[in-house]
Amino acid sequence: MWGVWANVVAVIAGGLIGSRLKGGIPKRFSDSINMGLALCVMLIGISGAIQTQNVMLVIISIVLGTVIGELLRIEDRLDALGAWAQKKLARDDDGFSKGFINATLLFCVGSMAVVGSLEAGFQNKADTLLAKSILDGVSALIFASSWGPGVILSIVPLTIYQGGIALLAMGMGNFLSETAILEMSATGSLLILALGINMLGVMKERIRIGNMLPAMFIPAIYISLRALF
């Protein structure tokens, strides 16, 4: 769970520093930093994915999970949720609420928050959340330099969201084997790699990572069913 608290501290620190800056952050600095962080995210994804002991299971999980996600239109629903929240809660002339809403959406609505929290709960592993903490801290600094301290308030939904997922995963972990957790983590790490690719913007169309989220649970289902039969 300490990865969740590290994320919260990073947002607070970034928000406080950003609130004291005037005139915003030069775009060339934020772009270069984000590119460097994207490479770090990709490294974390690769290092986690290669830990798999069953490559075919990971491949099948990604395929089946993506099919399920596409049928459920998870990515579209997440985008719609973000658009609805911003329309209802953020006003053009209210920098505080706009900073709060945009920061909350960025920090909570994404695969890295889900994968990192699941890893924290299943394996007490904080690598993904620590990387996310750096990303969120930099983003909080940039947002707060434009919209003010409302960004810091996003730690409330962030803590509830990521902490809740981590606690749920801790409970589930008691019923899953180490092999199942390992393969779930490896599958999730591929999604982290995809996130890094999206951050670099090297593809004409971004990878629809949200629609791939069900893939993380396929290894657990398969391994549990195989143990029963």
Side-chain angles (χ1 to χ4, degrees), residues 7-29:
N7 202 167
V8 170
V9 171
V11 171
I12 294 174
L16 289 174
I17 296 172
S19 296
R20 293 181 175 274
L21 295 178
K22 303 296 182 180
I25 306 296
K27 188 174 184 300
R28 65 187 182 92
F29 282 100

Side-chain angles (χ1 to χ4, degrees), residues 25-37 138 141-142:
I25 306 296
K27 188 174 184 300
R28 65 187 182 92
F29 282 100
S30 60
D31 287 347
S32 295
I33 292 172
N34 284 333
M35 290 293 183
L37 292 176
V138 173
L141 190 156
I142 295 171

Side-chain angles (χ1 to χ4, degrees), residues 7-192:
N7 202 167
V8 170
V9 171
V11 171
I12 294 174
L16 289 174
I17 296 172
S19 296
R20 293 181 175 274
L21 295 178
K22 303 296 182 180
I25 306 296
K27 188 174 184 300
R28 65 187 182 92
F29 282 100
S30 60
D31 287 347
S32 295
I33 292 172
N34 284 333
M35 290 293 183
L37 292 176
L39 294 175
C40 295
V41 170
M42 292 176 66
L43 174 61
I44 293 172
I46 293 171
S47 62
I50 62 176
Q51 298 299 317
T52 180
Q53 297 178 355
N54 191 335
V55 175
M56 285 305 302
L57 176 58
V58 173
I59 294 173
I60 293 172
S61 296
I62 291 291
V63 173
L64 290 179
T66 301
V67 170
I68 294 172
E70 288 288 345
L71 291 173
L72 296 176
R73 297 175 61 192
I74 295 176
E75 184 93 354
D76 292 338
R77 296 180 190 280
L78 289 176
D79 290 342
L81 173 63
W84 177 86
Q86 184 161 347
K87 180 180 178 180
K88 292 292 184 181
L89 302 177
R91 299 175 182 174
D92 293 337
D93 60 344
D94 188 354
F96 188 93
S97 64
K98 191 171 185 178
F100 167 67
I101 295 301
N102 285 333
T104 298
L105 295 176
L106 177 65
F107 302 156
C108 295
V109 182
S111 59
M112 206 169 192
V114 177
V115 175
S117 299
L118 287 174
E119 287 183 350
F122 283 135
Q123 298 177 299
N124 196 27
K125 179 181 175 183
D127 293 6
T128 300
L129 284 183
L130 288 179
K132 182 176 181 293
S133 298
I134 298 174
L135 292 170
D136 289 354
V138 173
S139 298
L141 190 156
I142 295 171
F143 280 8
S145 69
S146 299
W147 294 316
V151 171
I152 302 175
L153 190 60
S154 66
I155 64 170
V156 176
L158 176 67
T159 303
I160 296 173
Y161 181 70
Q162 293 189 158
I165 294 176
L167 288 174
L168 179 63
M170 288 175 65
M172 292 173 59
N174 296 327
F175 303 97
L176 296 176
S177 66
E178 291 185 6
T179 301
I181 294 174
L182 174 64
E183 298 305 330
M184 288 179 69
S185 179
T187 305
S189 293
L190 271 185
L191 304 187
I192 297 301

